[in-house]
Amino acid sequence: MKSSLVIALAAAVAASLSGCGDRAPDPSPSSPHGAGAPAPEGVPANDPAVRRLERAAPPELQALVNGRFQPRGDRATEATGAIEVTDHAISAAKGDDLPTERIAIVRGDDQYRPGERYSNLLMVGAEQPVELRRVYPLPVAGDATPSDGRDGVPMEDDPSRPAPARVGPPLCASGDADFVALVMLNEGAQQVVRLAGLQGRSTPAAGAEDIEACAVLEYQAG
């Protein structure tokens, strides 16, 4: 009886050992997290050394006002006469081209100085788009090169030379406009433009305390 039990236990151990040899091999370790197939040949890889501003140009601001407009009312007639607004200048019947640069599209509810909003200045709604432009310094009439001076003295340093007059359109009653705010409105079938010169060294904004607004001039298409 005892020998039969020993024989049965030996057979069971032998069967167990033979089963271990049939076990499937362990799977190979998975690849590290984030590793993937290389990019297809010919496809450029992203270069983190290239700054974002060098990868794509910023979108260009779209013009809100463009074209030729007739003065509407005595104030605009006396100040400028007819005007023509292009992407880079405002020209008027009274005065030469005024070089400008479009710097922002703001809203009527935005402030051009503390507590003063474009909506109140230009008589428009809070959501009305407003085109803001910077005015470039104008060339002066009779400007000369340094070689035109007397006895080798440049003319701009000659105290006897009268101050040259600027020739741009008079958007402000006194002094020159440093910025221009423009809006285009539809009154029935008529397109109306309102234009306001702004004076000051700061860019018009809520904290620009030195900005002062000139009178609003009005024009109509035609």
Side-chain angles (χ1 to χ4, degrees):
M1 184 62 147
K2 185 175 181 180
S3 60
S4 299
L5 180 61
V6 171
I7 293 171
L9 289 173
V13 170
S16 174
L17 291 175
S18 64
C20 292
D22 298 332
R23 186 171 53 184
D26 294 335
S28 60
S30 59
S31 59
H33 179 69
E41 186 177 355
V43 177
N46 179 37
D47 185 358
V50 178
R51 293 181 298 171
R52 182 178 296 274
L53 60 85
E54 295 174 352
R55 297 174 188 163
E60 183 178 355
L61 296 173
Q62 297 299 311
L64 299 181
V65 181
N66 218 304
R68 185 171 178 81
F69 305 94
Q70 298 299 323
R72 197 178 192 192
D74 294 339
R75 182 178 297 171
T77 300
E78 294 171 1
T80 64
I83 65 170
E84 184 172 2
V85 182
T86 64
D87 284 341
H88 304 292
I90 299 173
S91 59
K94 298 182 179 181
D96 293 338
D97 290 356
L98 189 69
T100 62
E101 176 193 15
R102 190 180 300 113
I103 59 173
I105 303 298
V106 296
R107 299 285 175 181
D109 199 42
D110 290 328
Q111 300 179 46
Y112 61 88
R113 58 166 288 123
E116 300 291 342
R117 303 181 186 277
Y118 291 102
S119 56
N120 296 329
L121 174 65
L122 297 167
M123 298 170 288
V124 296
E127 296 302 316
Q128 174 69 39
V130 179
E131 183 175 330
L132 181 63
R133 295 187 177 202
R134 176 183 287 111
V135 178
Y136 284 118
L138 284 166
V140 294
D143 200 8
T145 62
S147 61
D148 292 329
R150 297 179 306 176
D151 301 325
V153 178
M155 293 188 71
E156 59 267 27
D157 297 334
D158 185 354
S160 65
R161 181 190 182 196
R166 290 171 63 93
V167 292
L171 302 182
C172 297
S174 61
D176 302 307
D178 299 294
F179 300 88
V180 176
L182 296 154
V183 294
M184 172 82 81
L185 306 168
N186 292 319
E187 293 186 359
Q190 186 68 58
Q191 287 186 320
V192 175
V193 170
R194 291 186 186 136
L195 178 158
L198 300 168
Q199 296 176 315
R201 299 186 63 181
S202 302
T203 300
E209 297 184 355
D210 64 320
I211 292 292
E212 297 292 339
C214 306
V216 176
L217 307 177
E218 195 168 83
Y219 305 85
Q220 64 186 25

